[in-house]
């Protein structure tokens, strides 16, 4: 039944059919998001061994809660939100120092997409992320991964992390600065 | 490129999940669950908002009916006394409620999309305005005072905290003038009804003067109290 699905069926349409009781079609969502969520988890968490189990739990949680998904909204930020919560919980277990309060959401800057950032710079930052992500605090790690590796926009990231748009911009800017500073220090 | 190993893991995770779903180990939560969740959150938020408005209303009512706001007109010593008598406990409880409220509301897009400070300031403004309106534009507090025992316990506790009259000996009194001798007043203390206090006013203090006072005036007095009476630093005519 799943094989007969047109490939262009959107995530939201698939989710709607799962809500309607077509449980087999849920496999399509698993196929579409498994690698993305694993990559997100591997970059976000310092410990790699837990990712496989956490991703499985994310899909199970997605299935359990799928009737709470509004199919008029985009599916991608919704599943990434579930993943974010799961990875944050894992971080809390592993890193006692993980700080819950995000003071940068109290007063945030203006939201902006950096227009001066060329495609070449984006490729460069992706390379830097691969090299120096582990040394960054989780909140900076996460925005870099979502924006540069998962290629999500500011609005989607704001929905996933449930933070103001301006805070997304501020975190990305600080994350890039810290990433460059860390790498420069290590190369010296 | 997908390696056979990753292809195998890929199949495994998908198959494992579908197997768990088919077996019934995992099932979809019904739509009603999510509707109820939102409803519970809404009721909780509304209840906390209401409690927060009531607390602010009691604070305003308490300060107003005890006339402690008069202290603000008695210079720096009056300000110190005002801060001393202010029901800080209730204000702290209210601020904690507001912070929890903002945390609850941050689940909604229209709230988390904006900086938290906007929500905090907005919510506080709404609560203060509604609390003020409840005190000044309705008979709610007077009706509450008349029917103390019929209200649930938290409300009575809040009321008790703000409605405690200043204790004898703390330098505050709402008294009726029975005699004026130069800079010395004899007053009947409204707290006990029968006690007569001697109030000594300083000679050169604009906040404590007998020039506009008459016998029978109800006055609010603030000062330092000892066995002989009160050495006042502020006197304010309440009613004639």
């Amino acid at each position: 039944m799943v094989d007969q699905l047109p490939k262009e069926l959107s995530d939201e349409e698939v989710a709607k059919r799962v809500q309607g009781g077509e449980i087999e079609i849920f496999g399509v969502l698993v196929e579409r998001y498994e690698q993305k969520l694993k990559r997100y988890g591997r970059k976000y968490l310092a410990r790699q061994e837990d990712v496989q189990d956490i991703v499985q739990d994310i899909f199970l949680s997605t299935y359990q809660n799928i009737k709470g998904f509004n199919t008029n909204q985009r599916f991608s930020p919704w599943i990434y939100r579930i993943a974010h919560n799961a990875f944050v919980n894992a971080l809390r277990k592993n890193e006692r120092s993980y700080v819950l309060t995000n003071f940068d959401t109290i007063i945030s800057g203006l939201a902006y997409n950096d227009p001066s950032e060329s495609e070449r710079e984006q490729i460069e930052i992706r390379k830097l992320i691969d090299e120096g992500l582990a040394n960054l605090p989780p909140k900076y790690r996460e925005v870099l991964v979502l924006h540069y590796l998962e290629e999500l926009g500011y609005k989607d990231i704001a929905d996933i992390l449930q933070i103001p748009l301006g805070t997304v911009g501020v975190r990305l800017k600080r994350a890039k600065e810290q990433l460059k500073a860390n790498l420069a220090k290590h190369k010296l | 490129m997908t390696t056979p190993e990753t292809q195998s893991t890929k199949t495994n995770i998908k198959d494992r999940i579908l197997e768990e779903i088919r077996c019934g180990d995992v099932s979809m939560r019904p739509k009603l669950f999510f509707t109820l969740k939102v409803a519970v959150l809404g009721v909780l938020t509304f209840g906390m908002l209401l409690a927060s408005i009531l607390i602010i209303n009691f604070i305003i009512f308490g300060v107003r009916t005890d006339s402690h706001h008069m202290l603000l007109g008695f210079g720096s010593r009056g300000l110190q006394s005002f801060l001393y008598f202010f029901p800080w406990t209730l204000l702290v409880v209210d601020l904690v409620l507001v912070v929890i409220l903002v945390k609850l509301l941050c689940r909604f897009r229209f709230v988390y999309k904006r900086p938290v400070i906007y929500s905090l300031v907005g919510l506080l403004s709404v609560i203060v305005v509604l609390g003020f309106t409840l005190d000044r534009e309705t008979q709610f507090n007077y009706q509450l005072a008349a029917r103390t025992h019929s209200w649930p316990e938290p409300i009575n506790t809040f009321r008790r905290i703000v409605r405690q009259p200043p204790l004898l000996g703390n330098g505050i009194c709402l008294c009726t003038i029975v005699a004026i001798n130069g800079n010395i007043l004899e007053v009947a203390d409204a707290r006990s009804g029968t006690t007569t206090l001697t109030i000594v006013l300083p000679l050169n203090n604009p906040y404590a003067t007998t020039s506009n006072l008459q016998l029978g005036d109800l006055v609010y007095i603030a000062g330092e109290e000892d066995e002989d009476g009160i050495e006042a630093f502020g006197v304010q005519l309440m009613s004639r």
Side-chain angles (χ1 to χ4, degrees), chain B residues 13 15-16 26 55 57 59 62 78 135 144 165 170 179 184 218 222:
Chain B
I13 197 167
D15 289 346
R16 276 205 303 270
V26 181
I55 291 175
N57 158 65
I59 292 174
D135 175 51
L144 198 64
N170 68 8
I184 297 174
L218 182 68

Side-chain angles (χ1 to χ4, degrees), chain B residues 54-184:
Chain B
L54 279 180
I55 291 175
I56 287 289
N57 158 65
F58 291 142
I59 292 174
I60 296 169
F61 178 66
V63 170
R64 183 170 65 83
T65 52
D66 284 341
S67 307
H68 286 336
H69 59 291
M70 295 291 177
L71 290 166
L72 294 172
F74 294 161
S76 61
R77 291 180 71 182
L79 179 65
Q80 280 175 26
S81 295
F82 178 80
L83 296 178
Y84 176 77
F85 287 114
F86 194 84
W88 293 108
T89 320
L90 280 188
L91 189 67
V92 169
V93 169
D94 204 57
L95 289 177
V96 169
L97 274 181
V98 171
V99 170
I100 296 171
L101 257 175
V102 170
K103 276 271 177 196
L104 282 176
L105 290 171
C106 271
R107 291 158 185 263
F108 298 105
R109 183 180 288 177
F110 71 94
V111 177
Y112 71 68
K113 284 261 162 138
R114 292 172 180 79
V116 175
I117 192 84
Y118 292 179
S119 310
L120 265 175
V121 171
L123 203 56
L124 274 173
S125 308
V126 168
I127 287 167
V128 169
V129 168
L130 290 179
F132 192 79
T133 308
L134 192 62
D135 175 51
R136 303 309 295 266
E137 302 296 329
T138 73
Q139 293 297 307
F140 174 77
N141 286 314
Y142 297 105
Q143 287 169 356
L144 198 64
R147 300 168 52 197
T148 307
H149 298 295
S150 60
W151 291 90
E153 182 42 44
I155 295 179
N156 284 333
T157 307
F158 294 153
R159 278 195 67 254
R160 204 166 48 244
I161 293 173
V162 293
R163 294 294 297 122
Q164 273 175 343
L167 298 170
L168 288 165
N170 68 8
I172 299 288
C173 91
L174 196 58
C175 311
T176 307
I177 298 174
V178 292
I180 303 175
N181 300 310
N183 67 327
I184 297 174

